[in-house]
């Protein structure tokens, strides 16, 4: 009699445990197919980088002549902290990027470009989580993946490029995880 009662109870407990673990594993998954390129800066049009500076990054001083009291670089203190651009068509893509940078089919795919300042340009970043909320805001959590490479002392502009399946998004929020 005791065996008949214990077996269903153990089975129910196992089902509940598996269900809880399954939900937690699913919530940590990235449900979007994507490709992350953190070295896309080299493929951006020069004018885009000049017009889209970010606070905290150092840039070449255009007035630098090597004279006394001049600095070759300046730190941007007035621009936005980050710039995020959602690119869903070929015309917009070609205005921002150099030719033949990326093979993309805009009827099925889109690109998100995120620019921010970092003193770790030599290291790598990874996306840890992507979620789309009810208001069609895509949240992308990312993290610095430390490597043996030496980080830079002078913060520079990092350009994330996320190529992914076309999704209806109104805005994108990048959140750095520590």
């Amino acid at each position: 009699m005791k065996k008949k009662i214990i077996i269903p109870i153990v089975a129910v407990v196992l089902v509940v445990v598996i269900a809880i673990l399954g939900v937690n594993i699913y919530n940590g998954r990235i449900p979007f197919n994507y490709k992350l390129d953190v070295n896309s800066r080299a493929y951006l049009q020069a004018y885009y980088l000049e017009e889209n500076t970010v606070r905290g990054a150092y840039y070449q001083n255009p007035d630098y002549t090597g004279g006394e009291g001049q600095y070759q670089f300046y730190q941007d203190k007035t621009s936005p902290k980050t710039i995020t651009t959602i690119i869903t068509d070929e015309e917009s893509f070609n205005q921002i990027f150099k030719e033949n940078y990326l093979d993309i089919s805009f009827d099925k795919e889109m690109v998100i470009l995120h620019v921010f300042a970092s003193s770790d340009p030599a290291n790598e970043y990874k996306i840890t989580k992507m979620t789309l909320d009810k208001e069609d805001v895509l949240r992308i959590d990312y993290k610095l993946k430390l490597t043996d490479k030496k980080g830079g002392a002078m913060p520079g502009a990092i350009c994330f490029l996320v190529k992914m399946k076309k999704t209806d998004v109104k805005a994108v929020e990048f959140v750095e995880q520590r």
Side-chain angles (χ1 to χ4, degrees):
M1 181 76 170
K2 285 185 179 182
K3 273 188 177 180
K4 287 182 180 181
I5 294 173
I6 291 174
I7 291 174
I9 291 172
V10 170
V12 169
V13 168
L14 281 173
V15 168
V16 170
V17 168
I18 290 170
I20 290 170
L21 286 174
V23 168
N24 287 334
I25 290 169
Y26 177 78
N27 286 339
R29 278 185 45 216
I30 299 172
F32 303 95
N33 275 338
Y34 75 93
K35 176 187 176 221
L36 173 66
D37 182 359
V38 295
N39 299 312
S40 61
R41 180 185 173 125
Y43 301 99
L44 291 170
Q45 300 281 2
Y47 86 89
Y48 182 85
L49 288 170
E50 291 169 7
E51 293 177 4
N52 293 282
T53 59
V54 290
R55 184 177 25 178
Y58 278 83
Y59 295 95
Q60 187 92 28
N61 182 353
D63 300 325
Y64 179 72
T65 60
E68 190 175 319
Q70 284 191 325
Y71 296 100
Q72 186 173 357
F73 297 95
Y74 72 95
Q75 186 176 30
D76 187 321
K77 295 180 181 180
T78 60
S79 296
K81 193 171 183 174
T82 64
I83 296 174
T84 303
T85 307
I86 302 169
I87 306 165
T88 59
D89 62 88
E90 188 171 358
E91 183 180 339
S92 299
F93 183 83
N94 291 336
Q95 288 176 353
I96 297 172
F97 291 93
K98 296 176 182 174
E99 284 186 51
N100 302 322
Y101 163 56
L102 189 65
D103 184 29
I104 185 165
S105 175
F106 282 104
D107 57 325
K108 296 181 240 166
E109 298 172 304
M110 63 189 270
V111 171
I112 300 167
L113 177 63
H114 181 66
V115 183
F116 64 100
S118 174
S119 59
D120 293 304
N123 285 302
E124 298 175 17
Y125 292 84
K126 67 178 182 175
I127 293 176
T128 57
K129 189 176 180 183
M130 292 173 73
T131 54
L132 185 63
D133 71 13
K134 293 176 186 171
E135 287 81 35
D136 293 331
V137 175
L138 179 65
R139 178 182 163 133
I140 300 176
D141 295 346
Y142 67 96
K143 187 175 187 176
L144 179 64
K145 187 169 84 174
L146 295 176
T147 64
D148 292 339
K149 300 174 187 175
K150 301 288 182 198
M154 188 167 58
I158 300 291
C159 301
F160 269 16
L161 177 86
V162 180
K163 175 184 169 185
M164 59 184 284
K165 179 182 161 200
K166 196 171 239 180
T167 307
D168 287 332
V169 295
K170 291 187 173 80
V172 179
E173 177 184 58
F174 280 80
V175 179
E176 184 174 8
Q177 303 297 308
R178 300 272 174 191

